[in-house]
């Protein structure tokens, strides 16, 4: 829900209206915070701050904020106000209880779909959906899973997966049963789970191209670009299958099916999915207009 502009009662006295304005814009809270602030570096109770000193401190901090304003900060905040309703709803409900995860890392699970994918759980996280906090799992697909040809890992809500019984215990003869895959897919070596032996050293970076005003503008243009297309919009425009959508977005078939479900079975796509589909739509519409030299730079397979 977007914040509403401050509203004042015209029947109130000027003094009451002024106090309400201070409260609406957070000034009252700032003054109270300064007067009672305490951490390892500063204890207001020991400093015996006067009301005049508190007001001067608040004024200085507000002036510092004014001086630090820039286009990037304003654009980012405006983008949050316009498109952050979902995140705002999550923050509003931060006090709701977190559910206890049903599965743990290393468990083998499969999607509850007609043609399910399956794999091993690598981790989990919480997300606010359907007016409650829900558990999501990061799943590495098994090599013979239906979507493994185009996606290595995917996420799924706990309600959409079920555990596969460990009927075969891993050993040297039968492999590790997908707990920590040692195979390679299509000739691509598996990711190493070991950390680098040498620490990162920024001094070893050579021949870096500078980030000047032009580069900063392009970065901001990309970050704040609202390029996106929903799966339903793409599906209504192009004669594609769920499998092709999953290939485009690097998602499992189960995840794509949830995008088209209704009620509690529906889970919205992520911003990266919307951008994948928008870029794909652009290429389908304008592929012949793009110079071959530029296509070669974008993707060597062209």
């Amino acid at each position: 829900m977007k914040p509403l502009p401050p509203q004042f009662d015209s029947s109130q006295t000027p003094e009451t209206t002024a106090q309400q304005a201070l409260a609406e814009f957070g000034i009252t809270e700032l003054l109270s915070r300064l007067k009672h602030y305490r951490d390892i570096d500063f204890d207001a109770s020991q400093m015996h701050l006067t009301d005049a000193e508190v007001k001067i401190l608040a004024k200085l901090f507000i002036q510092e904020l004014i001086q630090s304003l820039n286009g990037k900060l304003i654009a980012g905040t405006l983008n949050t106000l316009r498109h952050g309703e979902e995140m705002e709803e999550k923050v509003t409900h931060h006090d709701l209880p977190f559910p206890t995860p049903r599965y743990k890392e290393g468990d083998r699970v499969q999607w509850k779909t007609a043609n399910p994918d399956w794999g091993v759980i690598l981790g989990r996280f919480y997300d606010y959906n359907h007016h409650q906090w829900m558990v999501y799992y990061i799943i590495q697909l098994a090599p013979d899973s239906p979507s493994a040809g185009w996606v290595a890992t995917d996420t799924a809500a706990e309600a959409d997966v079920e555990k596969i019984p460990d009927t075969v215990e891993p050993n040297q003869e039968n492999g590790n049963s997908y707990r920590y895959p040692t195979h390679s897919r299509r000739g691509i070596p598996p990711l190493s789970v070991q950390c680098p032996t040498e620490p990162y050293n920024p001094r070893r970076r050579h021949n870096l191209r500078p980030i000047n005003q032009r580069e900063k503008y392009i970065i901001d243009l990309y970050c704040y670009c609202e390029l996106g297309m929903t799966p339903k919009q793409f599906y209504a425009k192009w004669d594609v299958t769920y499998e092709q959508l999953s290939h485009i977005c690097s998602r499992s078939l189960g995840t794509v099916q949830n995008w088209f479900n209704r009620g509690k079975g529906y889970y919205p796509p992520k911003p990266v999915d919307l951008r994948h589909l928008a870029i794909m739509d652009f290429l389908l519409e304008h592929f012949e207009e793009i110079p071959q030299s530029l296509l070669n730079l974008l993707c060597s397979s062209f």
Side-chain angles (χ1 to χ4, degrees):
M1 180 177 181
K2 294 184 178 179
L4 297 175
Q7 298 180 356
F8 304 106
D9 186 354
S10 58
S11 63
Q12 294 179 340
T13 64
E15 293 78 10
T16 305
T17 302
Q19 292 297 326
Q20 183 181 355
L22 292 175
E24 288 284 355
F25 292 103
I27 305 301
T28 301
E29 182 180 356
L30 174 60
L31 294 173
S32 177
R33 186 75 183 276
L34 287 172
K35 193 170 184 178
H36 301 92
Y37 191 84
R38 180 180 181 182
D39 64 8
I40 192 172
D41 298 314
F42 182 81
D43 188 345
S45 63
Q46 298 295 326
M47 299 302 297
H48 304 290
L49 293 174
T50 66
D51 291 341
E53 290 174 330
V54 171
K55 292 179 180 179
I56 293 175
L57 286 173
K59 181 180 179 180
L60 292 174
F61 289 140
I62 293 174
Q63 289 176 343
E64 182 177 349
L65 173 62
I66 294 174
Q67 295 298 325
S68 64
L69 285 177
N70 55 62
K72 185 174 183 179
L73 176 61
I74 297 173
T77 306
L78 180 61
N79 183 66
T80 301
L81 288 175
R82 290 181 173 178
H83 308 287
E85 291 88 352
E86 181 180 353
M87 181 58 66
E88 184 175 323
E89 186 179 20
K90 294 176 185 178
V91 175
T92 304
H93 296 84
H94 70 279
D95 56 340
L96 293 178
F98 287 92
T100 302
R102 185 181 307 171
Y103 309 121
K104 62 182 184 299
E105 289 81 358
D107 285 346
R108 292 187 299 156
V109 295
Q110 65 180 9
W111 273 259
K112 297 178 182 178
T113 57
N115 185 26
D117 283 289
W118 58 88
V120 60
I121 294 178
L122 299 181
R124 65 176 182 267
F125 61 93
Y126 293 93
D127 195 10
Y128 186 78
N129 208 337
H130 300 303
H131 307 290
Q132 62 181 334
W133 286 103
M134 302 181 64
V135 181
Y136 286 80
Y137 295 99
I138 304 172
I139 304 172
Q140 179 168 355
L141 272 63
D144 51 349
S145 186
S147 304
W150 55 85
V151 57
T153 60
D154 198 4
T155 60
E158 186 173 80
D160 295 330
V161 296
E162 58 187 0
K163 187 176 180 181
I164 302 175
D166 294 325
T167 55
V168 180
E169 292 297 327
N171 54 48
Q172 294 181 353
E173 287 75 23
N174 61 33
N176 63 3
S177 196
Y178 305 141
R179 290 196 177 276
Y180 292 98
T182 57
H183 54 271
S184 60
R185 290 171 50 245
R186 299 191 174 187
I188 302 176
L191 294 175
S192 173
V193 297
Q194 297 180 352
C195 297
T197 56
E198 296 183 5
Y200 169 71
N201 186 354
R203 294 182 178 179
R204 295 185 179 180
R205 304 173 69 196
H206 301 293
N207 302 323
L208 296 180
R209 300 181 63 175
I211 300 297
N212 297 320
Q213 192 63 34
R214 168 187 176 273
E215 288 73 24
K216 292 180 181 179
Y217 171 77
I218 296 175
I219 292 174
D220 288 343
L221 180 66
Y222 177 83
C223 293
Y224 301 123
C225 177
E226 298 183 9
L227 181 65
M229 190 173 192
T230 67
K232 292 182 180 179
Q233 291 173 334
F234 192 93
Y235 192 76
K237 181 177 180 179
W238 300 99
D239 187 18
V240 294
T241 63
Y242 284 2
E243 181 177 2
Q244 288 171 323
L245 286 176
S246 66
H247 197 172
I248 294 170
C249 299
S250 294
R251 297 292 189 183
S252 66
L253 286 171
T255 296
V256 172
Q257 291 173 7
N258 289 334
W259 294 345
F260 293 88
N261 289 335
R262 296 182 178 180
K264 291 188 176 181
Y266 166 77
Y267 297 106
K270 302 299 183 183
V272 65
D273 302 316
L274 305 183
R275 182 162 291 197
H276 272 308
L277 293 175
I279 294 174
M280 188 73 260
D281 176 69
F282 176 84
L283 289 175
L284 291 172
E285 289 280 13
H286 305 285
F287 182 80
E288 287 74 17
E289 303 171 27
I290 303 175
Q292 186 63 44
S293 58
L294 182 58
L295 290 176
N296 293 337
L297 291 174
L298 290 174
C299 183
S300 58
S301 62
F302 288 141

